[in-house]
Amino acid sequence: MTCRQVNITRDGCGVSKLCTETPNDCDPAGNSSCLFASLDAGTTMAPNGTLLSVELRGDSTGYIALGLTQNVSEGTTALFICAQNNGSFFFRTMSKNNTDETLTPTETITQEIRGMVNGDVIKCEFEIPNVNATMTRTTESTTFVILLGNGTTDGTALGPFMTLLNSGSLNVANPASNTGTTAAPGNGTTMSGADHPHAVPLLLSVLAAFLVFRA
Protein backbone atom coordinates (compact mmCIF):
# COMPACT_ATOMS: atom_id res chain seq x y z
CA MET A 1 0.00 0.00 0.00
CA THR A 2 1.39 3.37 -0.97
CA CYS A 3 0.47 6.97 -0.25
CA ARG A 4 1.00 9.13 -3.31
CA GLN A 5 -0.80 11.45 -5.69
CA VAL A 6 -4.00 9.80 -6.90
CA ASN A 7 -5.82 11.45 -9.81
CA ILE A 8 -9.47 10.45 -10.18
CA THR A 9 -11.59 11.94 -12.97
CA ARG A 10 -14.77 11.16 -14.89
CA ASP A 11 -12.73 10.36 -18.01
CA GLY A 12 -13.98 7.07 -19.46
CA CYS A 13 -17.24 6.94 -17.49
CA GLY A 14 -19.81 4.92 -19.43
CA VAL A 15 -17.18 3.89 -21.98
CA SER A 16 -14.27 2.14 -20.29
CA LYS A 17 -15.41 2.18 -16.67
CA LEU A 18 -18.68 2.03 -14.75
CA CYS A 19 -19.16 5.14 -12.59
CA THR A 20 -21.43 5.79 -9.64
CA GLU A 21 -21.56 8.98 -7.61
CA THR A 22 -23.56 11.22 -5.33
CA PRO A 23 -24.58 13.96 -6.03
CA ASN A 24 -25.36 12.90 -9.60
CA ASP A 25 -22.68 13.88 -12.13
CA CYS A 26 -20.45 15.44 -9.46
CA ASP A 27 -16.80 16.03 -10.35
CA PRO A 28 -14.30 13.91 -8.37
CA ALA A 29 -11.49 16.13 -9.65
CA GLY A 30 -13.17 19.33 -8.42
CA ASN A 31 -13.32 21.08 -5.06
CA SER A 32 -16.99 20.47 -4.21
CA SER A 33 -18.26 17.51 -2.21
CA CYS A 34 -18.39 14.35 -4.33
CA LEU A 35 -18.60 10.69 -3.34
CA PHE A 36 -17.48 8.88 -6.49
CA ALA A 37 -16.45 5.39 -7.51
CA SER A 38 -15.47 3.80 -10.80
CA LEU A 39 -15.06 0.12 -11.59
CA ASP A 40 -13.14 -1.24 -14.57
CA ALA A 41 -13.64 -4.99 -15.05
CA GLY A 42 -11.17 -7.19 -16.82
CA THR A 43 -12.03 -10.22 -18.95
CA THR A 44 -14.43 -12.63 -17.23
CA MET A 45 -13.36 -16.25 -17.36
CA ALA A 46 -14.38 -19.29 -15.32
CA PRO A 47 -13.17 -20.45 -12.89
CA ASN A 48 -11.00 -17.53 -11.78
CA GLY A 49 -13.46 -14.63 -11.80
CA THR A 50 -12.92 -11.02 -12.82
CA LEU A 51 -10.26 -8.45 -11.93
CA LEU A 52 -11.89 -5.19 -10.81
CA SER A 53 -9.87 -1.98 -10.85
CA VAL A 54 -11.51 0.52 -8.49
CA GLU A 55 -11.22 4.26 -7.97
CA LEU A 56 -12.87 5.80 -4.89
CA ARG A 57 -13.09 9.45 -3.84
CA GLY A 58 -15.04 11.12 -1.05
CA ASP A 59 -15.10 13.61 1.79
CA SER A 60 -14.72 12.32 5.34
CA THR A 61 -12.72 12.88 8.49
CA GLY A 62 -13.04 9.11 9.03
CA TYR A 63 -13.53 6.73 6.13
CA ILE A 64 -15.22 6.28 2.79
CA ALA A 65 -16.13 2.85 1.44
CA LEU A 66 -17.34 0.91 -1.54
CA GLY A 67 -19.53 -2.13 -0.96
CA LEU A 68 -20.37 -5.04 -3.27
CA THR A 69 -23.34 -7.25 -2.51
CA GLN A 70 -26.10 -9.22 -4.19
CA ASN A 71 -28.94 -8.36 -1.84
CA VAL A 72 -28.96 -5.34 0.48
CA SER A 73 -31.45 -6.92 2.89
CA GLU A 74 -29.82 -10.31 3.45
CA GLY A 75 -26.43 -11.98 3.27
CA THR A 76 -23.32 -9.82 3.48
CA THR A 77 -21.64 -6.87 1.79
CA ALA A 78 -17.92 -6.86 1.04
CA LEU A 79 -16.69 -3.41 2.09
CA PHE A 80 -13.49 -1.85 0.78
CA ILE A 81 -12.56 1.01 3.09
CA CYS A 82 -10.25 3.95 2.45
CA ALA A 83 -9.70 5.89 5.65
CA GLN A 84 -7.61 8.53 7.34
CA ASN A 85 -6.19 9.04 10.80
CA ASN A 86 -5.19 12.67 11.24
CA GLY A 87 -4.18 12.93 7.59
CA SER A 88 -2.54 9.50 7.32
CA PHE A 89 -4.14 7.10 4.82
CA PHE A 90 -4.99 3.49 5.64
CA PHE A 91 -7.00 0.72 3.97
CA ARG A 92 -9.24 -2.01 5.40
CA THR A 93 -11.57 -4.73 4.14
CA MET A 94 -14.66 -5.60 6.17
CA SER A 95 -17.78 -7.73 5.86
CA LYS A 96 -21.09 -6.02 6.67
CA ASN A 97 -23.99 -8.15 7.85
CA ASN A 98 -26.92 -6.89 5.76
CA THR A 99 -29.42 -7.84 8.45
CA ASP A 100 -27.97 -6.15 11.54
CA GLU A 101 -25.28 -3.89 9.93
CA THR A 102 -22.49 -5.45 12.01
CA LEU A 103 -18.97 -4.95 10.61
CA THR A 104 -16.51 -7.84 10.83
CA PRO A 105 -12.84 -7.71 9.73
CA THR A 106 -12.17 -9.95 6.73
CA GLU A 107 -9.07 -10.72 4.69
CA THR A 108 -10.48 -10.05 1.21
CA ILE A 109 -7.60 -10.17 -1.25
CA THR A 110 -6.91 -6.65 -2.53
CA GLN A 111 -3.84 -5.49 -4.40
CA GLU A 112 -2.15 -2.41 -5.90
CA ILE A 113 -3.55 -0.18 -3.13
CA ARG A 114 -2.74 3.52 -3.46
CA GLY A 115 -4.23 6.35 -1.45
CA MET A 116 -3.91 9.96 -0.42
CA VAL A 117 -5.52 12.40 2.00
CA ASN A 118 -5.90 16.14 1.50
CA GLY A 119 -7.84 17.71 4.35
CA ASP A 120 -11.19 15.89 4.42
CA VAL A 121 -10.77 14.49 0.90
CA ILE A 122 -9.78 10.83 0.63
CA LYS A 123 -8.79 9.32 -2.71
CA CYS A 124 -7.72 5.75 -3.35
CA GLU A 125 -7.22 3.15 -6.07
CA PHE A 126 -7.07 -0.61 -5.67
CA GLU A 127 -7.65 -3.89 -7.49
CA ILE A 128 -9.87 -6.79 -6.44
CA PRO A 129 -8.84 -10.04 -8.15
CA ASN A 130 -10.99 -13.12 -8.76
CA VAL A 131 -14.38 -11.49 -8.24
CA ASN A 132 -17.42 -13.67 -8.92
CA ALA A 133 -21.00 -13.19 -7.72
CA THR A 134 -21.91 -16.88 -7.99
CA MET A 135 -21.13 -19.90 -5.87
CA THR A 136 -20.13 -22.21 -8.74
CA ARG A 137 -16.73 -22.38 -10.40
CA THR A 138 -18.21 -22.99 -13.86
CA THR A 139 -20.52 -19.97 -13.95
CA GLU A 140 -19.35 -16.38 -13.71
CA SER A 141 -21.49 -13.36 -12.84
CA THR A 142 -20.56 -9.71 -12.60
CA THR A 143 -23.97 -8.49 -11.37
CA PHE A 144 -23.70 -6.64 -8.06
CA VAL A 145 -25.35 -3.92 -6.05
CA ILE A 146 -22.79 -1.16 -5.47
CA LEU A 147 -22.99 0.74 -2.19
CA LEU A 148 -21.11 3.95 -1.46
CA GLY A 149 -20.94 5.47 2.00
CA ASN A 150 -18.83 6.66 4.88
CA GLY A 151 -18.25 6.36 8.59
CA THR A 152 -16.08 7.35 11.50
CA THR A 153 -12.83 5.94 12.83
CA ASP A 154 -10.43 6.63 15.68
CA GLY A 155 -7.58 5.27 13.60
CA THR A 156 -8.16 1.72 14.80
CA ALA A 157 -11.86 0.93 15.28
CA LEU A 158 -14.35 1.68 12.52
CA GLY A 159 -17.76 3.15 13.21
CA PRO A 160 -20.97 2.02 11.48
CA PHE A 161 -21.13 2.24 7.69
CA MET A 162 -23.70 4.79 6.49
CA THR A 163 -25.00 4.10 2.98
CA LEU A 164 -25.23 7.26 0.90
CA LEU A 165 -25.78 5.60 -2.49
CA ASN A 166 -27.38 2.33 -3.59
CA SER A 167 -26.86 1.63 -7.29
CA GLY A 168 -29.40 -1.13 -7.66
CA SER A 169 -28.25 -4.29 -9.46
CA LEU A 170 -25.66 -3.50 -12.13
CA ASN A 171 -23.36 -5.49 -14.37
CA VAL A 172 -19.99 -4.09 -13.37
CA ALA A 173 -18.43 -5.51 -16.55
CA ASN A 174 -20.62 -3.18 -18.64
CA PRO A 175 -19.55 0.47 -18.26
CA ALA A 176 -22.89 1.62 -19.68
CA SER A 177 -25.09 -0.59 -17.50
CA ASN A 178 -26.40 2.45 -15.61
CA THR A 179 -27.61 5.80 -16.83
CA GLY A 180 -27.77 7.28 -13.34
CA THR A 181 -27.83 6.24 -9.71
CA THR A 182 -30.09 7.23 -6.85
CA ALA A 183 -28.77 8.71 -3.63
CA ALA A 184 -30.29 7.44 -0.42
CA PRO A 185 -32.67 9.77 1.46
CA GLY A 186 -31.07 12.05 4.03
CA ASN A 187 -32.41 10.09 6.98
CA GLY A 188 -29.84 7.35 6.37
CA THR A 189 -32.26 4.83 4.88
CA THR A 190 -31.33 3.27 1.57
CA MET A 191 -33.13 2.85 -1.71
CA SER A 192 -33.64 -0.76 -2.75
CA GLY A 193 -32.79 -2.06 -6.20
CA ALA A 194 -36.52 -2.13 -6.96
CA ASP A 195 -36.67 1.62 -6.45
CA HIS A 196 -33.97 2.23 -9.05
CA PRO A 197 -35.45 2.88 -12.50
CA HIS A 198 -32.45 1.47 -14.32
CA ALA A 199 -31.83 -1.55 -12.12
CA VAL A 200 -30.89 -4.77 -13.93
CA PRO A 201 -33.09 -7.68 -12.73
CA LEU A 202 -31.27 -9.75 -10.12
CA LEU A 203 -31.23 -13.27 -11.55
CA LEU A 204 -28.93 -14.91 -9.03
CA SER A 205 -30.38 -17.44 -6.60
CA VAL A 206 -30.84 -16.79 -2.91
CA LEU A 207 -28.26 -19.51 -2.32
CA ALA A 208 -25.61 -17.16 -3.67
CA ALA A 209 -26.49 -14.41 -1.18
CA PHE A 210 -22.86 -13.54 -0.55
CA LEU A 211 -19.86 -12.81 -2.72
CA VAL A 212 -17.10 -15.15 -3.70
CA PHE A 213 -13.58 -13.71 -3.95
CA ARG A 214 -11.38 -16.61 -4.84
CA ALA A 215 -7.77 -16.86 -3.80
Side-chain angles (χ1 to χ4, degrees):
M1 178 171 56
T2 60
C3 297
R4 64 169 179 79
Q5 189 71 24
V6 178
N7 296 313
I8 299 176
T9 72
R10 298 190 63 87
D11 294 350
C13 284
V15 178
S16 61
K17 62 186 184 183
L18 173 66
C19 298
T20 59
E21 71 285 317
T22 182
N24 287 336
D25 300 320
C26 65
D27 182 8
N31 295 321
S32 59
S33 178
C34 182
L35 180 56
F36 173 93
S38 74
L39 296 88
D40 183 355
T43 303
T44 305
M45 293 182 61
N48 296 322
T50 300
L51 174 68
L52 283 182
S53 298
V54 180
E55 297 176 321
L56 183 61
R57 185 270 193 209
D59 301 81
S60 179
T61 57
Y63 71 82
I64 57 175
L66 174 139
L68 295 177
T69 188
Q70 290 180 265
N71 189 322
V72 295
S73 61
E74 63 184 33
T76 60
T77 295
L79 284 181
F80 302 87
I81 295 170
C82 297
Q84 68 158 311
N85 180 24
N86 296 321
S88 296
F89 173 80
F90 66 95
F91 183 88
R92 297 272 179 84
T93 56
M94 304 286 282
S95 177
K96 180 178 78 71
N97 186 305
N98 291 340
T99 302
D100 62 15
E101 304 295 319
T102 302
L103 297 183
T104 304
T106 183
E107 295 297 326
T108 303
I109 297 175
T110 316
Q111 61 193 30
E112 301 297 329
I113 302 166
R114 300 170 295 276
M116 64 170 289
V117 177
N118 183 6
D120 291 347
V121 177
I122 302 172
K123 298 180 182 181
C124 60
E125 301 169 332
F126 53 92
E127 294 179 350
I128 314 168
N130 308 325
V131 177
N132 184 15
T134 72
M135 292 289 291
T136 68
R137 296 185 66 84
T138 57
T139 303
E140 299 295 330
S141 174
T142 51
T143 298
F144 295 96
V145 177
I146 302 170
L147 302 179
L148 297 182
N150 58 26
T152 60
T153 180
D154 61 4
T156 302
L158 299 174
F161 172 73
M162 176 176 290
T163 301
L164 301 178
L165 181 142
N166 177 337
S167 74
S169 298
L170 296 175
N171 178 5
V172 299
N174 177 8
S177 64
N178 66 336
T179 58
T181 51
T182 303
N187 61 6
T189 61
T190 63
M191 301 290 287
S192 69
D195 294 325
H196 193 282
H198 305 289
V200 178
L202 186 62
L203 302 178
L204 304 179
S205 68
V206 174
L207 177 64
F210 55 90
L211 308 181
V212 178
F213 298 93
R214 301 194 184 95

